[in-house]
């Protein structure tokens, strides 16, 4: 168990050190997310529609698109110089590799979101500060599900030559329940409702988080074998 | 067809019986059998596409054989026991190194993956062994081919494996670098360590091995003790074997 944890930790640590040196992942995800938001800002007339209604959708589209970019990049790193094979040679439980990659993908996305939310607040002129705690909870639950499924699918598609295209094709249909749930919840939170009134949506997202994580643990052995 | 399984023999490091590997219609390995005693050095020759890399992939439990059995350090490769993985070190065409990390970060990372105790000290020790200590904080991306190859050795031996698989380790090295590599392989070749090396370089391959094998089209066309062979006539023998097996 101790080795297992230190292996997971080492994988996360390695991704962080790489990111601190290159800054490629954060900057590309963040810039891309901002661009997505800007495009929506210019195409939506905010004096007609209610920002609380359209804002959450735009926010989550930006998060999902930028997150996909990050997932692709994160597995490109493992593929360069055959590193993933090197990892597979080591006496590491395959689920430790999965958790390591999943946690670092999750952490990078959460950091990116921490910078994105203030920008979202300014662009859409919505008040996030007074609903901060429930909003962060929603963002965390949605991002957790996205990272769990995304890490699994990016390792699945990592052997395909068309990885950049296959990942979104596999990922977006399956992430729909979490995406819808997160958009709904974010909208209601911005309207000042409390999470306790929307337990069905919270339950739905948490269920899918758990399903995605357990499905990954069960299948990762077969997926990582060529 | 019934598969007879070799019985584990503590004197043997590698026992291979009837290994076959299909990739779709292509049969990359067509029944390979051999045994390698502990501490022996095998040089495996063979033309491009003969199946050498495929064999190493199976023996290091990266891919599974279509049929047949192989015991490495007494463990069945199909089970991919973590204890077996700890006995194996691999140097392959790819370096398995993270380009944006430094040598120290890379080797320490792999040491942790292998559960090596005091990973940091061990990493520094093996980096020193391959002569890269002065560069151990630089980014691996900036390294030359020879330096990468030396760092690959450090990565492969950080957990002190008893069996080493080397897939064309001399590729892309200049005379000086391959001289250094040869010295390092000699140092690694102790009684306790078994080495299987594939190469296209006859003189390097015949230099320090105990056993010589030639693989052609997925089968061993020659298996011989090194002292039974005349190095001067090896090239002719090789070409003969390749032509013979190519016809068969
Ligand atoms: N993943 C794969 N999918 C399909 N065919 C493969 C795969 N890996 C190897 N092969 C095929 O198996 C055969 C043996 O390949 P292998 O790489 O083992 O040869 P090799 O002896 O290492 O050659 P070289 O000297 O060029 O390195 C080749 O015909 C190759 O095309
Ligand atoms: Mg090869």
């Amino acid at each position: 168990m101790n080795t297992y944890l230190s292996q997971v930790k080492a994988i996360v640590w390695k991704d962080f050190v790489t990111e601190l040196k290159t800054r490629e992942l954060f900057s590309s995800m963040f810039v891309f997310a901002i661009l997505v938001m800007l495009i929506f800002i210019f195409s939506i007339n905010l004096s007609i529609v209610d920002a609380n209604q359209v804002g959450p959708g735009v926010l989550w589209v930006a998060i999902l698109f930028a997150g996909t970019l990050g997932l692709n990049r994160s597995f490109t790193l493992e593929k360069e110089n055959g590193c993933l094979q090197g990892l597979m040679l080591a006496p590491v439980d395959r689920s430790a590799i999965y958790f390591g990659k999943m946690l670092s993908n999750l952490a990078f996305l959460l950091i990116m979101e921490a910078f994105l939310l203030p920008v979202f607040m300014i662009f859409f002129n919505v008040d996030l500060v007074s609903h901060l705690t429930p909003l962060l909870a929603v963002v965390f639950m949605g991002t957790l599900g996205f990272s769990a499924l995304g890490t699994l699918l990016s390792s699945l598609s990592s052997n395909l030559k068309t990885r950049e295209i296959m990942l979104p094709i596999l990922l977006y249909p399956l992430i729909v329940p979490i995406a819808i749930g997160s958009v709904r919840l974010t909208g209601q939170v911005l309207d000042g409702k409390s999470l306790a009134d929307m337990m069905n949506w919270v339950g739905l997202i948490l269920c899918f988080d758990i399903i995605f994580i357990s499905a990954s643990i069960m299948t990762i052995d077969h997926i990582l074998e060529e | 067809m019934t598969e007879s399984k070799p019985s584990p023999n503590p004197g043997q490091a590698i026992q291979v019986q009837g290994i076959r590997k299909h990739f779709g219609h292509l049969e990359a390995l067509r029944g390979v059998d051999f045994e390698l005693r502990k501490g022996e050095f095998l040089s495996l020759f063979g033309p491009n596409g003969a199946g050498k890399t495929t064999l190493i992939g199976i023996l290091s439990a990266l891919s599974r054989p279509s049929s047949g059995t192989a015991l490495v350090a007494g463990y069945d490769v199909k089970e991919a026991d973590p204890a077996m993985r700890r006995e194996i070190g691999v140097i392959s065409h790819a370096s398995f190194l993270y380009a944006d990390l430094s040598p120290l970060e890379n080797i320490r990372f792999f040491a942790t993956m292998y559960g090596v105790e005091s990973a940091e000290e061990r990493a520094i020790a093996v980096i020193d062994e391959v002569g890269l200590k002065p560069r151990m904080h630089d980014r691996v991306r900036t390294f030359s081919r020879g330096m990468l190859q030396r760092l690959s050795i450090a990565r492969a031996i950080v957990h002190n494996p008893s069996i080493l698989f080397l897939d064309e380790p001399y590729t892309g090295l200049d005379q000086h670098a391959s001289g250094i590599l040869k010295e390092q392989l000699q140092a690694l070749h102790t009684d306790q360590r078994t080495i299987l090396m594939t190469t296209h370089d006859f003189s390097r391959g015949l230099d320090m091995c105990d056993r010589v094998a030639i693989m052609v089209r997925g089968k061993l066309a020659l298996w011989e003790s090194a002292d039974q062979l005349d190095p001067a006539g090896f090239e002719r023998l090789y070409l003969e074997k390749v032509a013979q097996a190519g016809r068969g």
Side-chain angles (χ1 to χ4, degrees):
Chain A
M1 203 59 212
N2 232 335
T3 1
Y4 188 92
L5 285 184
S6 54
Q7 285 168 339
V8 173
K9 228 166 61 192
I11 294 175
V12 176
W13 167 87
K14 159 191 79 68
D15 282 353
F16 264 88
V17 174
T18 308
E19 180 54 22
L20 279 178
K21 289 190 182 183
T22 62
R23 306 258 160 88
E24 278 171 25
L25 192 59
F26 176 81
S27 51
S28 55
M29 283 202 300
F30 186 61
V31 170
F32 190 71
I34 299 265
L35 286 177
V36 170
M37 276 196 187
L38 272 178
I39 289 172
F40 276 105
I41 290 279
F42 288 130
S43 52
I44 298 171
N45 190 343
L46 280 176
S47 57
I48 302 174
V49 292
D50 178 8
N52 281 0
Q53 295 286 317
V54 294
V58 175
L59 175 70
W60 280 98
V61 167
I63 290 177
L64 296 189
F65 280 6
T68 314
L69 208 69
L71 288 173
N72 264 327
R73 157 100 189 133
S74 153
F75 253 85
T76 314
L77 268 182
E78 298 299 330
K79 280 297 190 177
E80 199 183 2
N81 294 341
C83 291
L84 186 60
Q85 268 193 3
L87 264 182
M88 303 288 290
L89 282 171
V92 188
D93 200 288
R94 278 25 180 170
S95 67
I97 300 181
Y98 170 77
F99 276 120
K101 289 308 284 182
M102 195 270 265
L103 289 176
S104 64
N105 287 335
L106 175 67
F108 288 142
L109 259 177
L110 290 175
I111 293 171
M112 195 273 292
E113 288 160 357
F115 286 85
L116 193 62
L117 284 175
V119 179
F120 171 69
M121 191 163 104
I122 296 166
F123 279 3
F124 283 84
N125 196 20
V126 287
D127 174 24
L128 302 184
V129 182
S130 52
H131 320 291
L132 200 57
T133 322
L135 182 71
L136 291 183
V138 172
V139 167
F140 179 80
M141 288 189 301
T143 310
L144 177 64
F146 177 82
S147 312
L149 181 66
T151 307
L152 179 75
L153 293 180
S154 61
S155 42
L156 182 70
S157 54
S158 68
N159 287 326
L160 306 173
K161 226 193 262 141
T162 48
R163 185 188 57 233
E164 266 91 0
I165 306 157
M166 281 315 285
L167 178 62
I169 291 179
L170 294 171
L171 179 59
Y172 292 155
L174 290 171
I175 204 70
V176 160
I178 288 198
I180 294 179
S182 305
V183 171
R184 281 293 169 89
L185 280 181
T186 309
Q188 310 229 18
V189 165
L190 291 186
D191 275 341
K193 301 213 178 85
S194 98
L195 279 186
D197 300 337
M198 302 167 281
M199 279 324 271
N200 46 351
W201 285 113
V202 173
L204 178 91
I205 297 181
L206 285 180
C207 267
F208 272 95
D209 285 355
I210 293 168
I211 289 172
F212 289 153
I213 293 177
S214 16
S216 302
I217 297 171
M218 283 189 281
T219 55
I220 196 73
D221 261 357
H222 304 285
I223 284 177
L224 281 178
E225 290 229 339
E226 40 167 333
Chain B
M1 198 178 74
T2 56
E3 265 182 31
S4 63
K5 202 173 166 170
S7 51
N9 178 339
Q12 307 285 2
I14 303 173
Q15 296 168 270
V16 177
Q17 206 165 77
I19 286 284
R20 289 168 177 273
K21 176 75 180 178
H22 304 267
F23 293 109
H25 288 297
L26 185 112
E27 203 168 18
L29 295 176
R30 303 185 299 148
V32 177
D33 304 85
F34 69 89
E35 296 201 334
L36 201 59
R37 266 204 303 280
K38 263 187 192 157
E40 278 187 322
F41 191 128
L42 166 69
S43 281
L44 179 61
F45 299 93
N48 293 134
K52 304 178 297 292
T53 301
T54 307
L55 178 67
I56 288 188
I58 288 173
L59 293 181
S60 53
L62 272 182
S63 67
R64 297 163 72 82
S66 306
S67 66
T69 32
L71 302 185
V72 171
Y75 300 95
D76 191 332
V77 290
K78 275 188 210 148
E79 270 141 46
D81 197 306
M84 180 193 77
R85 296 194 183 279
R86 244 170 253 128
E87 297 293 328
I88 301 177
V90 180
I91 296 172
S92 120
H93 303 271
S95 68
F96 302 159
L97 296 164
Y98 292 95
D100 292 309
L101 298 184
S102 72
L104 179 59
E105 288 158 348
N106 262 295
I107 306 301
R108 193 177 49 199
F109 172 71
F110 281 103
T112 313
M113 287 297 135
Y114 278 93
V116 173
E117 278 174 39
S118 37
E120 171 111 15
E121 286 93 83
R122 175 67 186 154
I124 294 174
V126 286
I127 291 171
D128 196 20
E129 231 172 279
V130 297
L132 285 175
K133 200 168 176 191
R135 304 284 306 262
M136 81 180 172
H137 295 294
D138 297 358
R139 229 185 255 203
V140 167
R141 196 179 287 288
T142 63
F143 277 21
S144 74
R145 180 90 187 86
M147 289 158 71
L148 264 184
Q149 195 71 331
R150 271 144 70 190
L151 195 56
S152 293
I153 299 180
R155 194 214 71 242
I157 61 172
V158 70
H159 55 296
N160 199 13
S162 66
I163 298 172
L164 271 181
F165 296 122
L166 314 171
D167 198 358
E168 295 180 30
Y170 289 104
T171 310
L173 299 188
D174 68 8
Q175 286 80 359
H176 175 70
S178 42
I180 295 177
L181 176 62
K182 188 186 143 194
E183 278 167 31
Q184 266 155 3
L185 291 185
Q186 264 160 350
L188 287 171
H189 182 211
T190 63
D191 303 345
Q192 296 308 312
R193 195 173 276 124
T194 314
I195 301 184
L196 191 167
M197 174 171 86
T198 77
T199 175
H200 294 292
D201 184 328
F202 294 140
S203 67
R204 295 273 178 225
L206 292 175
D207 224 8
M208 48 186 152
C209 66
D210 310 302
R211 303 242 162 225
V212 179
I214 298 177
M215 180 179 270
V216 191
R217 290 177 53 198
K219 272 186 165 169
L220 290 186
L222 175 96
W223 176 269
E224 197 63 80
S225 209
D227 40 17
Q228 303 289 315
L229 283 174
D230 163 30
F234 185 73
E235 184 163 357
R236 232 191 60 223
L237 178 70
Y238 174 84
L239 293 173
E240 249 170 48
K241 289 286 174 194
V242 171
Q244 239 174 42
R247 278 198 301 274

